Amino acid sequence: MYTVTKGLNNNIVMARAEDGRECVLTGSGIGFRKSPGAPVLEQQIEHIYYGLDKLQEKWLYLLGQCSPVALAVSRSILQEAERRGKLHLTPVALIIISNHLTCAMERTREHAPVSSMLQEAVMLVYPDEYQLSKKSFSLLYRKYGILIPESEAVILALCIVDAASNGCPGHLTAAQKAAEDILELVRHNCNVRDDAETLEFTAYIKLRCWLVSLGKTHHSVLEIPDEMLDILYSKIVGSRDCITAVANYLADKFQYTMQQEDILNFLLRLNRIV
C-alpha cells in the first residue's frame, strides 16, 4: 500500500510505501482529489519510481507541469512508436513529448506558433519522428478538438529525436556535442530556467548546429536594425557576453559567422527561458 505525501497533478503523486521508502507514482487519474495521507489504489498505479536523484526530480517536476491531455496523447504516441518498432525511446520520452505538447497548446491559445522555416530539413532527416509528431496532433484534434499548427510538428519531432536511444550518424554526433557546448555557454552567461521552454530551446540549438555543420543555413534579405538587438541585449542580463561567446565558438568550430538574423532569433528564444 502507498500513501500520498504530495500531489503533483492528476496523474502524478509523491508517496510513501509501506516500508517507509519515498517514491513517485504515475497513472491516469492517480492524483485526482488526493490529499496528503490518502491511500493509493494498486490498480491506479502504472509506474513506481524509487530513489530519484536531483536530475530525476527535475524531470518529474516538469512532468507535474504537463497538461493531462498532453500526457494522455503522449502515452498513445509512445505506444504507437513501440508498435512500429522503428524508434527506441528512453524513459524520459513521456516527459519530453508531454512538455512540448503542453507548450504547443499554450502557444496555440496565445496565437503564437513556432516558425516552420526548418520543416523541410526535419522531414528529410527525421521522417519517422516527424510522422509520429503529426500523429500526436491528429489525436489531439480527434479526441479533444484541439487544433495545433503543423509547424509545431518540427519541434516535437526534434523532441522525439532527443528522447531516442538509437544513436546518431557522425555529423549529427558532432552537432550534438556543439549544441551541448553552446548550452553550457548560455548557462554560464545567463540565468536560464529548467522547464519545458528550455527543452525547446535545446532542440532549436541542436538543429541549428546540425545545419551549420552541413553548411545548410539560410538567411533572409531582411535588414535588422541594431536598435532592435540593443533592446533585447538590455532586457536579457548577460546576453551580449553570451552572444559573443557563442559567435566565437561557431567561428572556431565550423568557421561560421553569426549573422544578425541568427542573433535576433537566438535572443528571442533566449528571452523565453530567462
Side-chain angles (χ1 to χ4, degrees):
M1 176 174 159
Y2 298 88
T3 304
V4 174
T5 57
K6 182 181 180 181
L8 296 180
N9 64 19
N10 285 344
N11 303 295
I12 311 166
V13 297
M14 298 183 71
R16 184 175 292 108
E18 285 185 305
D19 60 9
R21 289 187 296 166
E22 298 289 335
C23 59
V24 173
L25 310 176
T26 66
S28 180
I30 197 171
F32 182 66
R33 293 185 177 176
K34 287 286 197 314
S35 302
V40 179
L41 300 177
E42 295 283 347
Q43 58 264 35
Q44 288 184 293
I45 302 172
E46 293 181 7
H47 294 96
I48 304 172
Y49 302 94
Y50 289 102
L52 299 178
D53 59 26
K54 292 296 182 184
L55 178 59
Q56 290 168 324
E57 287 178 3
K58 287 183 178 180
W59 281 116
L60 283 167
Y61 170 78
L62 289 177
L63 193 56
Q65 309 306 305
C66 292
S67 153
V69 169
L71 283 166
V73 171
S74 297
R75 287 193 182 94
S76 297
I77 288 303
L78 292 177
Q79 291 169 357
E80 176 77 12
E82 188 175 346
R83 282 195 296 269
R84 292 186 180 189
K86 291 184 178 181
L87 301 174
H88 304 288
L89 299 175
T90 62
V92 298
L94 177 65
I95 305 170
I96 293 174
I97 296 171
S98 297
N99 265 285
H100 173 74
L101 288 177
T102 299
C103 288
M105 287 189 289
E106 290 175 356
R107 280 194 296 270
T108 300
R109 284 195 295 269
E110 296 169 0
H111 305 288
V114 297
S115 168
S116 59
M117 284 177 57
L118 303 174
Q119 187 170 356
E120 289 187 9
V122 172
M123 289 173 64
L124 177 65
V125 181
Y126 303 120
D128 294 327
E129 291 85 350
Y130 186 75
Q131 287 304 314
L132 201 59
S133 67
K134 288 186 65 177
K135 175 79 171 179
S136 70
F137 294 163
S138 175
L139 279 173
L140 273 173
Y141 182 68
R142 192 168 68 248
K143 284 191 170 185
Y144 303 100
I146 300 173
L147 184 62
I148 304 293
E150 190 172 335
S151 59
E152 290 279 357
V154 173
I155 299 298
L156 180 54
L158 291 172
C159 289
I160 294 172
V161 170
D162 215 29
S165 56
N166 298 342
C168 299
H171 63 278
L172 289 177
T173 303
Q176 167 86 11
K177 176 62 170 62
E180 291 172 357
D181 291 343
I182 288 175
L183 288 168
E184 187 61 32
L185 292 173
V186 172
R187 293 184 185 281
H188 177 74
N189 288 280
C190 303
N191 184 25
V192 301
R193 302 188 308 271
D194 284 316
D195 60 12
E197 293 285 359
T198 307
L199 291 176
E200 295 197 27
F201 180 78
T202 302
Y204 164 76
I205 294 299
K206 286 179 181 177
L207 185 59
R208 288 301 299 172
C209 285
W210 173 74
L211 292 173
V212 167
S213 70
L214 294 180
K216 294 183 178 292
T217 53
H218 163 76
H219 296 291
S220 70
V221 296
L222 180 67
E223 206 171 308
I224 299 169
D226 290 336
E227 292 80 4
M228 183 182 296
L229 297 180
D230 288 337
I231 290 172
L232 287 168
Y233 281 135
S234 64
K235 184 177 181 181
I236 309 169
V237 176
S239 58
R240 196 178 292 273
D241 289 339
C242 179
I243 289 294
T244 299
V246 171
N248 289 339
Y249 178 89
L250 291 174
D252 292 340
K253 182 80 173 179
F254 300 111
Q255 291 73 56
Y256 178 80
T257 302
M258 283 187 80
Q259 307 296 314
Q260 282 191 312
E261 182 182 353
D262 292 321
I263 295 172
L264 177 61
N265 287 328
F266 194 97
L267 289 173
L268 289 172
R269 287 170 169 81
L270 180 61
N271 186 51
R272 296 171 64 175
I273 64 171
V274 295

